Amino acid sequence: MESMGMLTEEEVKKYQEDGYLVLDGFLDPDECDVLRKKMSEIVDRMDVPEHCRIQFSTDHEEQLKAQGSADYFITSGDKIRFFFEKGVFNEKGDFTVARECSLNKIGHALHAFEPVYKNVTHSQKVQTVVKKLGLKCPVILQSMYIFKQPGIGGEVNPHQDATFLNTEPLGRVMGLWIALEDATLQNGCLWFIPGSHKNGITRRMVRTAKGAFPLTDFVGRERNYDDNLFIPTPVKKGGLVLIHGEVVHRSAENISSHSRHVYAFHVMESQDTLWNPENWLQPSPELPFPPLYT
């Protein structure tokens, strides 16, 4: 992989055929460490959202927690918000683990409001890769820092990103997933079904009617997938995984003593594309989807 992120024709073809592609050494170790250091600073100064502090003593409080959590998620597209692993708070709302080990992810606008992540997202290397794949007017939809905590990092079930980030026509969304630490079989690397991006989607996550609860629901059902079709995809620190919006992928729980930190973001080809108004994620006046190319 050349330093400016140039893709070969063979790599472009492999991405088109398989629906995903690993590019080793996309970032050097020092670049990865800068992203991790900045995230450590963000975690140190984070305010825990109130819905995480609500006790589970009454049905009413459980409902308040559920509504607060749903609203916190659905309005996170233009903010930097904190999403926690299960079981990291006690009945008093206090941490049961170290705060730096409590988080599942932070999202969804790191690319807009944190310069370190913004610089990587708009880097010449990223732009070169995306241009080589033929995107004319890509915009950035969302960004996430994923922790996959040691011992408690949860399983991510088989899914397609287009279920949650839906466009008309399909095939306009791509994920860029950068390993900031080694992603291994033990700590929850990605698994893919090669070629599954050619079969469309059968399920969409949609916003419900205004005033309704829950705030989102699913239309359709996920297919059942043969476990034998999934291919494990370990990635060394600094590697980039390109993920087609319709390729089926998953990750196992982290059973190791090592975390699996990742910076990931999604882009959409905006030319001749309709962003589904039922998607949970919507651009806002404060943050329209920013163009990738600068």
Side-chain angles (χ1 to χ4, degrees), residues 52-65:
C52 293
R53 302 291 196 186
I54 296 175
Q55 300 180 35
F56 285 95
S57 59
T58 69
D59 289 342
H60 177 64
E61 285 177 329
E62 287 191 31
Q63 184 179 23
L64 286 176
K65 181 180 176 71

PDB file of all heavy atoms in Angstrom, residues 52-65:
ATOM      1  N   CYS A  52     -28.150   7.137  31.835  1.00  0.00           N
ATOM      2  CA  CYS A  52     -27.329   6.035  32.338  1.00  0.00           C
ATOM      3  C   CYS A  52     -27.335   5.970  33.858  1.00  0.00           C
ATOM      4  O   CYS A  52     -26.993   4.934  34.441  1.00  0.00           O
ATOM      5  CB  CYS A  52     -25.886   6.184  31.848  1.00  0.00           C
ATOM      6  SG  CYS A  52     -25.692   5.977  30.080  1.00  0.00           S
ATOM      7  N   ARG A  53     -27.729   7.051  34.510  1.00  0.00           N
ATOM      8  CA  ARG A  53     -27.711   7.112  35.972  1.00  0.00           C
ATOM      9  C   ARG A  53     -29.041   6.684  36.593  1.00  0.00           C
ATOM     10  O   ARG A  53     -29.139   6.508  37.806  1.00  0.00           O
ATOM     11  CB  ARG A  53     -27.404   8.542  36.424  1.00  0.00           C
ATOM     12  CG  ARG A  53     -26.090   9.103  35.916  1.00  0.00           C
ATOM     13  CD  ARG A  53     -24.903   8.406  36.544  1.00  0.00           C
ATOM     14  NE  ARG A  53     -23.665   9.161  36.354  1.00  0.00           N
ATOM     15  CZ  ARG A  53     -22.459   8.723  36.706  1.00  0.00           C
ATOM     16  NH1 ARG A  53     -22.327   7.533  37.258  1.00  0.00           N
ATOM     17  NH2 ARG A  53     -21.398   9.469  36.502  1.00  0.00           N
ATOM     18  N   ILE A  54     -30.093   6.544  35.786  1.00  0.00           N
ATOM     19  CA  ILE A  54     -31.416   6.235  36.327  1.00  0.00           C
ATOM     20  C   ILE A  54     -31.431   4.807  36.868  1.00  0.00           C
ATOM     21  O   ILE A  54     -30.993   3.866  36.216  1.00  0.00           O
ATOM     22  CB  ILE A  54     -32.504   6.414  35.246  1.00  0.00           C
ATOM     23  CG1 ILE A  54     -32.580   7.887  34.820  1.00  0.00           C
ATOM     24  CG2 ILE A  54     -33.866   5.951  35.750  1.00  0.00           C
ATOM     25  CD1 ILE A  54     -33.541   8.143  33.677  1.00  0.00           C
ATOM     26  N   GLN A  55     -31.969   4.646  38.074  1.00  0.00           N
ATOM     27  CA  GLN A  55     -32.056   3.325  38.677  1.00  0.00           C
ATOM     28  C   GLN A  55     -33.201   2.524  38.056  1.00  0.00           C
ATOM     29  O   GLN A  55     -34.134   3.073  37.491  1.00  0.00           O
ATOM     30  CB  GLN A  55     -32.284   3.446  40.187  1.00  0.00           C
ATOM     31  CG  GLN A  55     -31.166   4.187  40.908  1.00  0.00           C
ATOM     32  CD  GLN A  55     -31.447   4.287  42.392  1.00  0.00           C
ATOM     33  OE1 GLN A  55     -32.018   3.391  42.988  1.00  0.00           O
ATOM     34  NE2 GLN A  55     -31.044   5.396  42.993  1.00  0.00           N
ATOM     35  N   PHE A  56     -33.150   1.202  38.246  1.00  0.00           N
ATOM     36  CA  PHE A  56     -34.161   0.303  37.703  1.00  0.00           C
ATOM     37  C   PHE A  56     -35.138  -0.138  38.802  1.00  0.00           C
ATOM     38  O   PHE A  56     -35.437  -1.304  38.949  1.00  0.00           O
ATOM     39  CB  PHE A  56     -33.496  -0.943  37.111  1.00  0.00           C
ATOM     40  CG  PHE A  56     -32.833  -0.709  35.799  1.00  0.00           C
ATOM     41  CD1 PHE A  56     -31.483  -0.418  35.745  1.00  0.00           C
ATOM     42  CD2 PHE A  56     -33.536  -0.773  34.614  1.00  0.00           C
ATOM     43  CE1 PHE A  56     -30.856  -0.206  34.530  1.00  0.00           C
ATOM     44  CE2 PHE A  56     -32.913  -0.557  33.395  1.00  0.00           C
ATOM     45  CZ  PHE A  56     -31.568  -0.273  33.354  1.00  0.00           C
ATOM     46  N   SER A  57     -35.643   0.813  39.599  1.00  0.00           N
ATOM     47  CA  SER A  57     -36.478   0.423  40.724  1.00  0.00           C
ATOM     48  C   SER A  57     -37.960   0.390  40.400  1.00  0.00           C
ATOM     49  O   SER A  57     -38.728  -0.272  41.079  1.00  0.00           O
ATOM     50  CB  SER A  57     -36.236   1.372  41.909  1.00  0.00           C
ATOM     51  OG  SER A  57     -36.528   2.704  41.541  1.00  0.00           O
ATOM     52  N   THR A  58     -38.380   1.098  39.355  1.00  0.00           N
ATOM     53  CA  THR A  58     -39.801   1.104  38.992  1.00  0.00           C
ATOM     54  C   THR A  58     -39.943   1.018  37.485  1.00  0.00           C
ATOM     55  O   THR A  58     -39.025   1.332  36.726  1.00  0.00           O
ATOM     56  CB  THR A  58     -40.502   2.401  39.456  1.00  0.00           C
ATOM     57  OG1 THR A  58     -40.003   3.503  38.684  1.00  0.00           O
ATOM     58  CG2 THR A  58     -40.263   2.659  40.935  1.00  0.00           C
ATOM     59  N   ASP A  59     -41.130   0.602  37.045  1.00  0.00           N
ATOM     60  CA  ASP A  59     -41.412   0.555  35.613  1.00  0.00           C
ATOM     61  C   ASP A  59     -41.293   1.934  34.997  1.00  0.00           C
ATOM     62  O   ASP A  59     -40.835   2.085  33.857  1.00  0.00           O
ATOM     63  CB  ASP A  59     -42.823  -0.004  35.367  1.00  0.00           C
ATOM     64  CG  ASP A  59     -42.915  -1.493  35.664  1.00  0.00           C
ATOM     65  OD1 ASP A  59     -41.849  -2.143  35.730  1.00  0.00           O
ATOM     66  OD2 ASP A  59     -44.046  -1.994  35.835  1.00  0.00           O
ATOM     67  N   HIS A  60     -41.729   2.952  35.747  1.00  0.00           N
ATOM     68  CA  HIS A  60     -41.661   4.323  35.230  1.00  0.00           C
ATOM     69  C   HIS A  60     -40.218   4.732  34.976  1.00  0.00           C
ATOM     70  O   HIS A  60     -39.909   5.332  33.938  1.00  0.00           O
ATOM     71  CB  HIS A  60     -42.311   5.284  36.221  1.00  0.00           C
ATOM     72  CG  HIS A  60     -42.221   6.725  35.813  1.00  0.00           C
ATOM     73  ND1 HIS A  60     -42.831   7.218  34.676  1.00  0.00           N
ATOM     74  CD2 HIS A  60     -41.580   7.773  36.386  1.00  0.00           C
ATOM     75  CE1 HIS A  60     -42.570   8.514  34.561  1.00  0.00           C
ATOM     76  NE2 HIS A  60     -41.819   8.877  35.592  1.00  0.00           N
ATOM     77  N   GLU A  61     -39.334   4.394  35.896  1.00  0.00           N
ATOM     78  CA  GLU A  61     -37.931   4.757  35.721  1.00  0.00           C
ATOM     79  C   GLU A  61     -37.306   3.976  34.570  1.00  0.00           C
ATOM     80  O   GLU A  61     -36.472   4.509  33.831  1.00  0.00           O
ATOM     81  CB  GLU A  61     -37.176   4.531  37.026  1.00  0.00           C
ATOM     82  CG  GLU A  61     -37.470   5.595  38.074  1.00  0.00           C
ATOM     83  CD  GLU A  61     -36.766   5.323  39.395  1.00  0.00           C
ATOM     84  OE1 GLU A  61     -36.561   4.141  39.718  1.00  0.00           O
ATOM     85  OE2 GLU A  61     -36.425   6.293  40.078  1.00  0.00           O
ATOM     86  N   GLU A  62     -37.691   2.732  34.416  1.00  0.00           N
ATOM     87  CA  GLU A  62     -37.190   1.959  33.283  1.00  0.00           C
ATOM     88  C   GLU A  62     -37.628   2.591  31.963  1.00  0.00           C
ATOM     89  O   GLU A  62     -36.862   2.650  31.004  1.00  0.00           O
ATOM     90  CB  GLU A  62     -37.685   0.513  33.367  1.00  0.00           C
ATOM     91  CG  GLU A  62     -37.005  -0.301  34.450  1.00  0.00           C
ATOM     92  CD  GLU A  62     -37.321  -1.776  34.338  1.00  0.00           C
ATOM     93  OE1 GLU A  62     -37.533  -2.253  33.215  1.00  0.00           O
ATOM     94  OE2 GLU A  62     -37.357  -2.454  35.371  1.00  0.00           O
ATOM     95  N   GLN A  63     -38.875   3.074  31.937  1.00  0.00           N
ATOM     96  CA  GLN A  63     -39.365   3.726  30.726  1.00  0.00           C
ATOM     97  C   GLN A  63     -38.615   5.030  30.469  1.00  0.00           C
ATOM     98  O   GLN A  63     -38.257   5.331  29.319  1.00  0.00           O
ATOM     99  CB  GLN A  63     -40.868   3.999  30.838  1.00  0.00           C
ATOM    100  CG  GLN A  63     -41.465   4.597  29.557  1.00  0.00           C
ATOM    101  CD  GLN A  63     -42.958   4.832  29.688  1.00  0.00           C
ATOM    102  OE1 GLN A  63     -43.479   4.966  30.775  1.00  0.00           O
ATOM    103  NE2 GLN A  63     -43.639   4.899  28.554  1.00  0.00           N
ATOM    104  N   LEU A  64     -38.366   5.799  31.526  1.00  0.00           N
ATOM    105  CA  LEU A  64     -37.600   7.030  31.364  1.00  0.00           C
ATOM    106  C   LEU A  64     -36.204   6.743  30.822  1.00  0.00           C
ATOM    107  O   LEU A  64     -35.708   7.461  29.943  1.00  0.00           O
ATOM    108  CB  LEU A  64     -37.491   7.753  32.705  1.00  0.00           C
ATOM    109  CG  LEU A  64     -38.737   8.465  33.228  1.00  0.00           C
ATOM    110  CD1 LEU A  64     -38.468   9.034  34.617  1.00  0.00           C
ATOM    111  CD2 LEU A  64     -39.178   9.569  32.271  1.00  0.00           C
ATOM    112  N   LYS A  65     -35.582   5.712  31.345  1.00  0.00           N
ATOM    113  CA  LYS A  65     -34.249   5.339  30.878  1.00  0.00           C
ATOM    114  C   LYS A  65     -34.288   4.945  29.406  1.00  0.00           C
ATOM    115  O   LYS A  65     -33.444   5.364  28.615  1.00  0.00           O
ATOM    116  CB  LYS A  65     -33.685   4.199  31.717  1.00  0.00           C
ATOM    117  CG  LYS A  65     -32.274   3.769  31.310  1.00  0.00           C
ATOM    118  CD  LYS A  65     -31.783   2.640  32.189  1.00  0.00           C
ATOM    119  CE  LYS A  65     -30.428   2.139  31.717  1.00  0.00           C
ATOM    120  NZ  LYS A  65     -29.346   3.109  31.997  1.00  0.00           N
TER     121      LYS A  65
END
